[in-house]
Amino acid sequence: MLPNASGKVVVTVGRRVKTRVEEEGKIEEINVELPHEDLPPWEEKNLVWVGKGIPRVDGFEKCTGKAKYTYDIHLPGMLYGKILRCPHPHARLIRLDTSKAQRLSGVKAILSQENAPPIPWYNDSFLFDRTLRCVGEEVAAVAAVDEYIARDALDMIEAEYESLPFVVDPEEALRPGAPPVRPGGNLLDGKPIIYSRGEIEQGFDEADLIIEENFSTQVQAHACMETHGSVVNWEGDHLTIWESTQGVSDVREGMAKALGIPISKVRVIKDFMGGGFGSKTREGKYTVIAALLAKMTGRPVKLMLDRKEEFYATGHRPSSLQYVKAGVKKDGSLTAIYLRSIGACGAYETPLFPSKFSMIDALARPYRELYHCPNVKTEVYPVYNNIPVHTAQRAPGHVEGTFALEQVMDQAAHQLGMDPIALRMKNYALKDQVEDFPYTRKALDQCYQKGAEKIQWEKRNKKPGEKKALICEGIGMAGQIWGGGGGPPAYAIIKINQDGTANLLTGTQDIGTGSKTVFVQIASEELGISPKDITITLGDTETTPYAPRSSGSRTVPSVGPAVRSAAADAKRQLLDLAGSILDSKAEDLAIREGQIYLKNNPTRKIPLKEITQKMGNNMIMGVGSRGPNPPQAAINVFGAQFAHVAVNTATGEVRVLKVVSIHDAGRVINSMTLNNQIEGGIVQGMGYGLMEEVIWDKGTGIMLTPNLHAYKLPTMLDIPEVVPGVAEGSDPANNIGAKGIGEPPKIPTAPAIANAIYNAIGVRLKELPITPDKVLRALKI
Amino acid sequence: MKGFTFHKPRSLKEALAMLKEADGKAKIMAGGTDLLGAMKDGIMQPERLINLQEIPDLANIRPDNDRLHLGALVSLHEITVHPSIQKRFGILAQAAQEVGSPQLRNMGTLGGNLCQRPRCWYYRGDFVCLKRGGDQCFAVTGQNKYHAVIEGGPCFIVHPSDTAPALLAMDASVRIAGPDGEKIAALEKFFMTPRDNVTRENILEPDQILTEIMVPLPREGSRGIYLKARERRCWDFALASVALLLNIDDGICQEIRLVLGGIAPIPFRASKAEEVLKGKPIEIELIDQACRMALSGARPLASNAYKLELTQALIKQALLTLSNK
């Protein structure tokens, strides 16, 4: 450890404890070292920077085009990589002739199954495999002096395939005799994933009303503005990778493993990036391919996917079919919830989550957790089909599951003649019923109440579809539960400079959410140094201490407490130094807005700068780590959203006029970035609800929507007025009181819209996306 | 995209000579918003591009006594803001406003909007379909929610243009220049069904250029409307659209031209619906009857029957609006 200002060496005695950490529903027990100091919660009234909507610290760079994305990296002598992809949904590669391409001037290397190391990838397949299970799988790759030559070279590679039987439709894939996507059957691990508590049949017997419905949800693409890709450079045996990623540390670990080199030989850098939404959590095949091509040629290689590849080869939110049966008593209390669901994996199991925590099963979690219900059974069938593998997308599973569950609740309320909010309050869950732990905090009731006020809930149609008109308006709502508690390990370092400024270093990344700004604010708050005097370095595995990938809405609650802990450590050392210079006791001093002052006489103060100037080249370094989560407790983010829609009953067109979005994400660090996340989640959720859909031709396995025209993202004209808000207060789960907000606002958007449509026209839309054809069809029935 | 050479003729004559010389290996380019996308997707691989943008007069808007002359390179944006088009040729201004997005309307031209290739996702995707020289239309048994409900077969594209139905409703004609001189064709005769020729959508030969669109001034008292239904509010082609020109005098329908977009391989003139109303007082019952007749003979595919109701709803809305019902 470092000497502190008084010259003493501070030694942290290792105290290791077990703690429970959740990421997108995957729960792990890990060992963690306790931080050097257990910081008490901030006092609300004293907060200076935390809670403020300060503009992004990197806003200028982004707005002026100075921000460098992976796409912008250009190294001397750099080659361009391109990937040849399989045109068949299921085939065996029987011949590959690269000789013509090899001879094309400007081609420097060709990589394929013939010369690439057998690097294991999905299931039991390899980086380049002779068996290809979906259109778009990697067959070969080229490095050339420019992109055009690389593309031309791909056209000159002769690949011969033996076509194999294939199946695209997930239901068909489950039928006996369906073409096998992989050896061992099309059902993942050969059995459904079952969760059960209580006695489901008894629960239905006790019910006064049974609701039974079928729902289906579509494949949604991430459609990142910046496509996936890497720039790689070898210097000797040291590999540097610029990667558009949500997890620099994960890419480092994955690349070291794939290439069989120590992680200390791999550096991963991500400065700015154009979107990930769950699809950029680890290295891609393209990253490994780029590194191998660079090794072969001794030159840096840039390999960025094009838009079509972005749709084909980077994962998607899986589709689902959900059969739901729920039992309620006359007073509204739930007696039983049953879910049977089929989810499409694509050709492989996503490597992100092993089958025990299958992302396909994630859709069952809201059924198990959102409401108090003694008898719950969920039965999920993850099925292989010949389309590309799915991956995490913003609140995986919860988005699909909540779409169905919240419509079932709305339907139950309607049939019981209850206010949908009253029905939800009747079934309010006071603890995590799966883990049997209390929540650290749950302010969902506040979200319901606040949201209802802001949307003017009383103005909804008392009887759904009661007004007959060309344009019918309606109001609907839905709630959500998500993880988002974060946890260790995560570290941060703060250096205090002679001029009174500070550098904050941490190994997380800002994936566009504003985490740079949020961490600067946290450090400012604790240190008493203005945000403008703090610079932050992240997204670089070589220069920063470890912090986790940005997924599961956990960046702020995981890394934020470590930043605060580092700042507190630095502050303690600063005050020691100030005490020795000012001849006061350190504990009598405090820092606020760059001034050191006496606690009992704040008028006696001295600028921090005058103290730090006296340090010379002695440095103050604060080191912080993320402490454990509270034992025997569940940390969750909750929320409720309300939609006001207008439905054209003649054309079936739906317009979302307004969405009110209130979440319990604990303490707000930056109100502006919080609102950004809410707005972004609603736009993506509305796209999911009304227009976005990846569509495959079932006869060929070819995607019909691999471009930004056929795949319909919402435009500015489609986006409703968004009224964001939070449940007041902080969560005792960690030392900054914050939980994650990245994913939650997406979850209840589509069901709130669907319930609003029901309120408007009295017809329930159970298939996503809710396009005019479906509305017209539903109105006709 | 494959490599190509780029040519900038200074006159129509020069452009026609280049086109003839290229012998089918060239494409002409106006705004390029459709062509460049098709080239990037590998649907077209011309060896030469002949850019018309530097030819004088092709982008002129010229009203004379009884008609409006629009150069084929007039941008869609210009049409939406031109005061006399807004005033006298309102349907066209409305239709142009519904095209794509502001960026596309800035670059896209009227001629290009009429000559654009279909958006069928099989044609635009990795499929060798009928239109691309193959032997089947994949939409017949495939994903066909956007495809033709009438006049389809053997290929089931829909004509994607917004301005074509509006221009047809106004009885426009087009000037076509070719190696043997110029000719004028009624727009009604310009479009071709897949039955006529599955590889193209209009009568333009590879060595011809559409140079001008002429729109007769609608008779006094005529009113027009263009309605478009779609899945998102902009940058989306029509699920169905309706262009209606109506002249009512003394409560009697003197003239009616009703043209439908997004439902057939050509902009579809709903003559049967026109017949129901022409010369008769506009009454609700007749309007309903016209709506029913508009698509008689339609044969929807598995997933596009909704277009029938949708189109009828748009026709009804258009008729009600223009007859002040």
Side-chain angles (χ1 to χ4, degrees), chain A residues 155 308 650-651 653 655 691 695-697 700 702 704 708-709 712-713 715 717-718 771-773 780, chain B residues 2 121-122 126-127 143 145-146 229-237 239 306 309-310 313-314:
Chain A
D155 289 347
K308 191 171 172 184
T651 65
E653 290 164 304
R655 285 199 68 181
M691 55 193 81
I695 299 172
W696 271 273
D697 178 62
T700 58
I702 295 175
L704 297 172
L708 291 177
H709 180 261
K712 296 178 186 182
L713 295 165
T715 69
L717 292 181
D718 299 293
T771 42
D773 54 325
K780 219 169 153 181
Chain B
K2 290 283 172 202
W121 47 23
Y122 290 101
D126 300 324
F127 296 86
Q143 302 286 335
K145 72 180 279 201
Y146 299 124
R230 66 196 116 181
E231 290 181 338
R232 65 177 171 189
R233 301 263 303 153
C234 81
W235 195 26
D236 205 2
F237 288 92
L239 296 173
Y306 73 96
E309 294 151 63
L310 176 58
L314 291 178

Side-chain angles (χ1 to χ4, degrees), chain A residues 268-310:
Chain A
V268 180
I269 301 171
K270 184 219 74 82
D271 199 357
F272 289 89
M273 77 185 271
F277 312 109
S279 66
K280 293 179 178 170
T281 49
R282 55 168 280 183
E283 76 287 354
K285 281 191 177 179
Y286 52 86
T287 323
V288 181
I289 290 169
L292 293 173
L293 288 170
K295 191 86 187 170
M296 285 164 81
T297 55
R299 290 166 70 165
V301 169
K302 181 181 206 165
L303 204 170
M304 299 297 296
L305 303 191
D306 66 22
R307 182 56 62 189
K308 191 171 172 184
E309 293 177 294
E310 185 72 12

Side-chain angles (χ1 to χ4, degrees), chain A residues 251-507:
Chain A
V251 173
R252 179 175 63 160
E253 202 180 313
M255 287 299 286
K257 197 173 158 211
L259 299 172
I261 58 177
I263 65 165
S264 56
K265 297 287 185 195
V266 184
R267 176 184 189 180
V268 180
I269 301 171
K270 184 219 74 82
D271 199 357
F272 289 89
M273 77 185 271
F277 312 109
S279 66
K280 293 179 178 170
T281 49
R282 55 168 280 183
E283 76 287 354
K285 281 191 177 179
Y286 52 86
T287 323
V288 181
I289 290 169
L292 293 173
L293 288 170
K295 191 86 187 170
M296 285 164 81
T297 55
R299 290 166 70 165
V301 169
K302 181 181 206 165
L303 204 170
M304 299 297 296
L305 303 191
D306 66 22
R307 182 56 62 189
K308 191 171 172 184
E309 293 177 294
E310 185 72 12
F311 274 100
Y312 263 112
T314 66
H316 53 252
R317 177 184 300 279
S319 63
S320 78
L321 297 166
Q322 300 175 55
Y323 161 77
V324 189
K325 185 175 172 186
V328 277
K329 287 190 174 163
K330 282 196 188 101
D331 67 356
S333 43
L334 282 161
T335 59
I337 303 174
Y338 172 72
L339 164 74
R340 190 174 65 234
S341 173
I342 296 173
C345 295
Y348 302 97
E349 186 182 346
T350 175
L352 213 53
F353 288 77
S355 49
K356 188 180 163 205
F357 299 106
S358 166
M359 217 166 272
I360 300 293
D361 180 55
L363 94 175
R365 284 203 299 266
Y367 291 91
R368 309 198 274 245
E369 297 172 26
L370 187 51
Y371 296 107
H372 173 77
C373 183
N375 309 300
V376 176
K377 185 174 181 187
T378 64
E379 200 176 321
V380 176
Y381 294 77
V383 56
Y384 290 120
N385 57 340
N386 291 103
I387 64 166
V389 60
H390 73 286
T391 193
Q393 196 208 58
R394 205 171 192 166
H398 286 234
V399 170
E400 299 93 297
T402 305
F403 171 70
L405 174 63
E406 286 295 75
Q407 285 210 70
V408 168
M409 290 299 280
D410 197 66
Q411 187 61 33
H414 171 66
Q415 286 184 229
L416 291 168
M418 272 180 94
D419 178 334
I421 296 178
L423 177 70
R424 285 167 172 84
M425 284 308 296
K426 180 81 194 170
N427 296 289
Y428 203 72
L430 291 167
K431 63 170 187 184
D432 179 328
Q433 298 160 90
V434 176
E435 300 277 329
D436 201 22
F437 290 154
Y439 295 118
T440 51
R441 165 182 144 113
K442 176 174 177 177
L444 181 56
D445 47 350
Q446 219 191 109
C447 302
Y448 290 146
Q449 201 187 347
K450 230 173 156 172
E453 275 165 33
K454 292 195 178 187
I455 199 79
Q456 297 184 287
W457 183 237
E458 69 285 355
K459 291 200 174 159
R460 73 192 188 281
N461 298 317
K462 290 295 159 309
K463 196 171 166 294
E466 64 189 347
K467 291 189 199 112
K468 299 285 173 231
L470 177 65
I471 309 287
C472 290
E473 293 190 16
I475 292 173
M477 62 82 60
Q480 67 86 13
I481 182 170
W482 180 243
Y491 302 89
I493 293 172
I494 286 181
K495 303 188 290 181
I496 307 287
N497 301 309
Q498 277 184 39
D499 59 2
T501 64
N503 305 125
L504 166 59
L505 300 99
T506 175

Side-chain angles (χ1 to χ4, degrees), chain A residues 121-132:
Chain A
W121 211 266
Y122 306 121
N123 298 60
D124 50 2
S125 73
F126 296 98
L127 178 69
F128 291 107
D129 205 292
R130 282 203 174 264
T131 306
L132 300 148

Side-chain angles (χ1 to χ4, degrees), chain A residues 66-346:
Chain A
K66 284 171 80 81
K68 267 211 160 59
Y69 295 75
T70 302
Y71 211 97
D72 298 319
I73 303 295
H74 189 90
L75 303 175
M78 190 171 82
L79 301 174
Y80 293 82
K82 285 276 161 209
I83 296 171
L84 180 71
R85 296 179 181 277
C86 176
H88 304 289
H90 198 183
R92 197 167 292 119
L93 180 65
I94 50 175
R95 190 179 68 90
L96 191 73
D97 184 351
T98 59
S99 55
K100 275 187 203 145
Q102 201 83 252
R103 288 196 294 273
L104 181 67
S105 164
V107 171
K108 298 295 176 191
I110 298 181
L111 188 67
S112 72
Q113 199 259 344
E114 321 242 300
N115 58 349
I119 297 171
W121 211 266
Y122 306 121
N123 298 60
D124 50 2
S125 73
F126 296 98
L127 178 69
F128 291 107
D129 205 292
R130 282 203 174 264
T131 306
L132 300 148
R133 296 187 173 87
C134 62
V135 175
E137 269 211 271
E138 293 76 357
V139 172
V142 169
V145 294
D146 72 38
E147 246 181 300
Y148 304 101
I149 294 175
R151 253 177 236 253
D152 286 346
L154 294 186
D155 289 347
M156 295 166 80
I157 296 176
E158 290 170 20
E160 208 178 304
Y161 305 91
E162 177 198 342
S163 281
L164 299 172
F166 65 95
V167 59
V168 171
D169 184 273
E171 267 185 303
E172 276 173 34
L174 265 188
R175 286 191 194 126
V181 177
R182 348 182 7 82
N186 291 342
L187 181 61
L188 177 77
D189 292 345
K191 56 183 193 303
I193 301 172
I194 293 174
Y195 166 86
S196 176
R197 71 167 176 259
E199 293 295 333
I200 191 76
E201 287 311 324
Q202 197 183 317
F204 286 122
D205 289 345
E206 289 165 13
D208 296 316
L209 171 69
I210 304 271
I211 309 279
E212 262 184 288
E213 299 276 13
N214 284 290
F215 297 87
S216 75
T217 68
Q218 79 282 36
V219 168
Q220 187 180 27
H222 300 73
C224 304
M225 284 296 280
E226 182 186 33
T227 59
H228 288 55
S230 333
V231 178
V232 300
N233 189 32
W234 290 92
E235 286 162 302
D237 62 354
H238 193 278
L239 175 65
T240 303
I241 304 167
W242 287 262
E243 172 102 358
S244 182
T245 181
Q246 295 171 237
V248 286
S249 291
D250 297 84
V251 173
R252 179 175 63 160
E253 202 180 313
M255 287 299 286
K257 197 173 158 211
L259 299 172
I261 58 177
I263 65 165
S264 56
K265 297 287 185 195
V266 184
R267 176 184 189 180
V268 180
I269 301 171
K270 184 219 74 82
D271 199 357
F272 289 89
M273 77 185 271
F277 312 109
S279 66
K280 293 179 178 170
T281 49
R282 55 168 280 183
E283 76 287 354
K285 281 191 177 179
Y286 52 86
T287 323
V288 181
I289 290 169
L292 293 173
L293 288 170
K295 191 86 187 170
M296 285 164 81
T297 55
R299 290 166 70 165
V301 169
K302 181 181 206 165
L303 204 170
M304 299 297 296
L305 303 191
D306 66 22
R307 182 56 62 189
K308 191 171 172 184
E309 293 177 294
E310 185 72 12
F311 274 100
Y312 263 112
T314 66
H316 53 252
R317 177 184 300 279
S319 63
S320 78
L321 297 166
Q322 300 175 55
Y323 161 77
V324 189
K325 185 175 172 186
V328 277
K329 287 190 174 163
K330 282 196 188 101
D331 67 356
S333 43
L334 282 161
T335 59
I337 303 174
Y338 172 72
L339 164 74
R340 190 174 65 234
S341 173
I342 296 173
C345 295

